[in-house]
Amino acid sequence: MQDIVGEELVKMNVDLSKAIRLITKQRTKIHETTKQTYKWEQEIPFHLAPMVAAIRKDDEQFHLCANLEEKLRWIKVVHAMSKESRDAKRERDARDVAEKAAHVKKVREDLARQKSLERAMKQPTGPNMRWNSRTKQYESVANHDDDDWRG
C-alpha cells in the first residue's frame, strides 16, 4: 500500500512540476506581452500627433470639397443660363448675317436688273418696235396690214 501511496505522490509531484513549469511559461508569456504592450504604449504619442494632424487635414479637405461642390452647383446654373444666352445671341447674329446677305444679294440683283433694263432701253429701236413691260424688253410689232403670209 505504501507503494501505491508513494507512486501517487510521485505522480502528483510530476504533475505539480508540469503545472509549475506551465505557469512559469505562461507568466513569461504574459510578461513578454506586457512588455510589448508597454513598448507600443510608449510609441503611441509619436504616432498619435501625425494621425490627429492627418485627420484634421482630411476634415479640412472634406469641407473644401463640400464648398467646391456647392460652388460647382451654382456655376452649373450660371453656365446653363449663359450658354442659353450665348446660343441665342449666336442664332440672332447668324440670322442677322443671313438677312444682310439676302439684302445685299437682292440689292445686287435689283441693280443688275436695272442696268439690264437701262441697256435694253438704250438699244436702238426700229419703227416697228414696242416695249413689253412683262418681258422687260423691246419686241417687234407685227404689221397686220401685210397679208402675204396667207398666200
Side-chain angles (χ1 to χ4, degrees), residues 39-134:
K39 180 182 170 189
W40 288 340
E41 285 174 352
Q42 295 303 313
E43 291 179 7
I44 285 175
F46 296 115
H47 298 289
L48 190 61
M51 291 173 98
V52 169
I55 289 171
R56 286 186 183 138
K57 183 96 172 162
D58 289 347
D59 193 39
E60 290 172 7
Q61 288 178 350
F62 174 76
H63 288 297
L64 176 69
C65 287
N67 289 339
L68 286 175
E69 192 173 323
E70 183 65 26
K71 287 178 183 177
L72 284 174
R73 281 192 205 108
W74 281 104
I75 288 172
K76 185 178 178 183
V77 170
V78 172
H79 181 265
M81 291 170 35
S82 65
K83 182 180 180 208
E84 289 173 8
S85 173
R86 186 174 54 247
D87 290 345
K89 184 180 183 299
R90 284 180 182 162
E91 189 175 307
R92 281 193 312 268
D93 291 346
R95 201 173 335 117
D96 291 346
V97 166
E99 287 174 0
K100 286 179 183 177
H103 179 71
V104 167
K105 182 178 177 183
K106 185 176 185 274
V107 166
R108 285 183 182 164
E109 288 174 354
D110 289 346
L111 287 174
R113 189 172 335 140
Q114 182 128 8
K115 284 182 182 180
S116 172
L117 288 175
E118 287 174 3
R119 272 183 275 156
M121 297 278 265
K122 287 180 183 176
Q123 289 179 355
T125 59
N128 294 333
M129 300 293 277
R130 177 178 64 133
W131 179 255
N132 185 340
S133 60
R134 263 187 289 165

Side-chain angles (χ1 to χ4, degrees), residues 6-57:
E7 286 180 20
E8 283 181 17
L9 285 174
V10 170
K11 183 178 178 194
M12 286 174 64
N13 188 20
V14 168
D15 288 340
L16 186 61
S17 302
K18 285 181 182 178
I20 289 173
R21 270 187 264 130
L22 181 64
I23 289 172
T24 305
K25 283 181 183 178
Q26 293 300 325
R27 280 180 63 193
T28 306
K29 278 186 179 179
I30 289 172
H31 183 69
E32 290 298 321
T33 304
T34 305
K35 280 175 36 179
Q36 187 65 36
T37 303
Y38 179 76
K39 180 182 170 189
W40 288 340
E41 285 174 352
Q42 295 303 313
E43 291 179 7
I44 285 175
F46 296 115
H47 298 289
L48 190 61
M51 291 173 98
V52 169
I55 289 171
R56 286 186 183 138
K57 183 96 172 162

